[in-house]
Amino acid sequence: MQQAALLLRPCASGLTKVHGCLRWLSGSAAPPVSQSITELSQASQLSSSSSSQPAIYVACVLERLPVLAPETPLWESEYHAKQQQYLMQQGFLKDYPDVRHIYRPGTAQEASASQQSKTSAVHESQTSAQQSSLTEADRSGDTKSMARALRQRLYLVVKQPLQGSRAAWHFPHTQHQPDETIRQTCERALISTIGQQYPVFFIGNAPMAWTPLSGGDKLYYMLAQVVDDPWGALRLPEASSATDYQWLTSQEAAQHMADARMQDLLPRMLSL
């Protein structure tokens, strides 16, 4: 019965010669067991080589959210000014005169001078607020510090080999294993690169984008966010394949990555 099971398996899968199966099923002499095992081994090797699939890599796009509210764009400021002007023309808003000088001693000229000084103080406070958003890391150009570019999103970029090539700037990545989900591979990619002592929130279970690699391989990107920032200096584990890291804006990351496809993908992927 063991011999029958061994022979019927290749017969059903079409891995042995058809006439040999028919000869055995018709009652003719069965081939030796050693010959059947050899044919089955050769067929298995052929099947495994023909069913090999391109490798899948998964990268973790780890971002630090803005700490301060972003500056109002010029077009938005102009829109609000035009909107206020239109509402005043239609009578929905009224421009009331400043009559506060009536209730305190002093002349109208003093009130006007006081109003001008207040307007100047407002501009100075806005300039001061812009300058206060600059940190020591911004002034020194320290890209290893997360405490920089507080009004923008920062992304962790590491110097790491991909597909066996020499190390270059990428997002933390690793090769997908058959028993893993894409998210589990993403988590393993980040932990194996920077360690597991840093709190991170992984967003969703589906990748946000992908790029083709050489040899038919694919690289998928999944999003994660920093928790309890700012972190201190990262301590890369000894077993990590990364040799260096930086916290970069999307524009800076595109400049550091040499792949033209990545330079085209990053502005669209990271603007979502």
Side-chain angles (χ1 to χ4, degrees), residues 173-184:
H173 60 270
T174 191
Q175 187 172 352
H176 174 67
Q177 300 299 328
D179 59 341
E180 292 179 326
T181 63
I182 295 295
R183 171 164 174 164
Q184 290 172 341

Side-chain angles (χ1 to χ4, degrees), residues 217-232:
D217 298 347
K218 294 182 179 180
L219 177 60
Y220 290 89
Y221 301 89
M222 289 201 65
L223 184 63
Q225 291 180 346
V226 169
V227 180
D228 295 339
D229 62 282
W231 298 345

Side-chain angles (χ1 to χ4, degrees), residues 128-158:
S128 177
Q130 295 177 356
Q131 294 178 350
S132 64
S133 65
L134 296 177
T135 64
E136 186 62 31
D138 288 316
R139 299 184 182 92
S140 62
D142 183 11
T143 57
K144 292 185 181 296
S145 173
M146 189 187 295
R148 59 179 296 265
L150 301 182
R151 298 185 184 275
Q152 302 182 60
R153 298 171 185 259
L154 290 182
Y155 300 90
L156 177 63
V157 180
V158 297

Side-chain angles (χ1 to χ4, degrees), residues 20-32:
C21 297
L22 296 177
R23 184 172 63 253
W24 179 81
L25 292 174
S26 62
S28 303

